Amino acid sequence: YRGIIRDITKQKQTEKKLLKLTRIYSTLSHINQTIIRVHETRELLNEVCRITVEYGKFRMAWIGMVNLQTNKVDVVASSGVVVDYLKKINIDLNDEHLNNDPIRTTIKTNKYRISNNIRQDDCMIPWRDDAIKYDYRSMASFPLKTFNRVVGIFLIYSNETDFFYEDDITLLDEMAIDISFALESMGNEIERKQAELER
């Protein structure tokens, strides 16, 4: 009897994992289609967030870009259950006391950061209360990079604890790389047009 219960539990866990990967594959596919179709930065980033929530079934997604004048991260796109959460986001890259939080760490190290239990993650203390209020239980942040420099950050929130693991992270990291490539291509096109105007 115990063996049967174990087998059923394992089967359900496998089915859940496959369903999650299917959602992420669908998200990646739709974002790549959007990258081919959309050639304006703000529209692309808004679509990325919308698709992530709609097809990935995530609780919330947002994108922030590094403001070189203020050295802060400006929220430029979001989707999902946002309410006033992002209004309280104040990412000052000059503030050395908060260097351990996932957003600053991702930007400074050019590596993704995962918080699979926001409620118990000390790095999420500045936003923990609001995250709990809006049912954000896990969070992943990925760098957006153009011309070998981190220019922004892509954040995804799940209402499930312990959501992000190896296969999911690999696909989501690939997604961030694709978005970065699109941003770099748009930057090249802007520079090309500017050069033509200056001739």
Side-chain angles (χ1 to χ4, degrees):
Y1 177 75
R2 287 176 181 170
I4 293 171
I5 294 296
R6 277 197 301 270
D7 289 345
I8 292 172
T9 301
K10 187 174 181 179
Q11 182 180 346
K12 286 184 177 180
Q13 289 172 342
T14 301
E15 288 173 355
K16 184 177 179 181
K17 181 179 179 181
L18 288 174
L19 180 61
K20 182 170 63 167
L21 284 172
T22 300
R23 283 161 35 191
I24 297 174
Y25 269 117
S26 178
T27 304
L28 178 59
S29 174
H30 280 86
I31 285 176
N32 283 334
Q33 291 173 36
T34 301
I35 287 171
I36 294 169
R37 178 176 53 83
V38 174
H39 303 288
E40 195 277 318
T41 302
R42 185 60 63 95
E43 182 184 355
L44 173 65
L45 298 182
N46 281 321
E47 280 295 287
V48 164
C49 291
R50 182 191 65 79
I51 290 167
T52 300
V53 170
E54 182 177 339
Y55 292 94
K57 308 300 180 189
F58 288 100
R59 185 74 171 163
M60 195 263 280
W62 69 275
I63 291 174
M65 301 300 285
V66 176
N67 186 323
L68 294 178
Q69 294 181 326
T70 63
N71 208 29
K72 291 185 176 184
V73 177
D74 296 335
V75 178
V76 297
S78 65
S79 186
V81 180
V82 178
V83 197
D84 61 348
Y85 182 80
L86 295 179
K87 292 179 182 177
K88 299 178 182 179
I89 293 287
N90 180 26
I91 310 300
D92 186 346
L93 299 176
N94 295 313
D95 191 340
E96 298 296 330
H97 298 292
L98 295 171
N99 270 344
N100 196 36
D101 77 72
I103 297 172
R104 288 175 184 79
T105 302
T106 298
I107 290 172
K108 288 180 180 284
T109 64
N110 186 28
K111 295 179 180 177
Y112 64 77
R113 272 295 300 272
I114 306 297
S115 176
N116 262 324
N117 191 335
I118 291 174
R119 186 182 291 270
Q120 296 182 7
D121 188 346
D122 289 344
C123 294
M124 292 294 293
I125 285 175
W127 312 285
R128 181 187 289 164
D129 290 344
D130 284 332
I132 291 170
K133 181 165 66 174
Y134 301 131
D135 202 24
Y136 308 151
R137 301 188 184 186
S138 298
M139 185 273 290
S141 63
F142 298 88
L144 299 177
K145 187 171 72 170
T146 65
F147 308 107
N148 296 314
R149 179 173 61 86
V150 177
V151 296
I153 186 166
F154 179 34
L155 294 102
I156 306 167
Y157 297 74
S158 171
N159 61 356
E160 298 178 36
T161 303
D162 296 323
F163 181 89
F164 299 99
Y165 282 97
E166 187 174 353
D167 292 339
D168 320 312
I169 294 168
T170 299
L171 286 175
L172 292 169
D173 196 34
E174 180 183 337
M175 191 185 304
I177 291 169
D178 291 346
I179 297 165
S180 296
F181 180 76
L183 292 174
E184 186 168 307
S185 296
M186 289 176 181
N188 283 329
E189 182 63 16
I190 290 169
E191 287 185 6
R192 185 188 67 78
K193 288 181 178 179
Q194 187 64 35
E196 286 181 355
L197 289 172
E198 292 173 356
R199 284 178 185 170

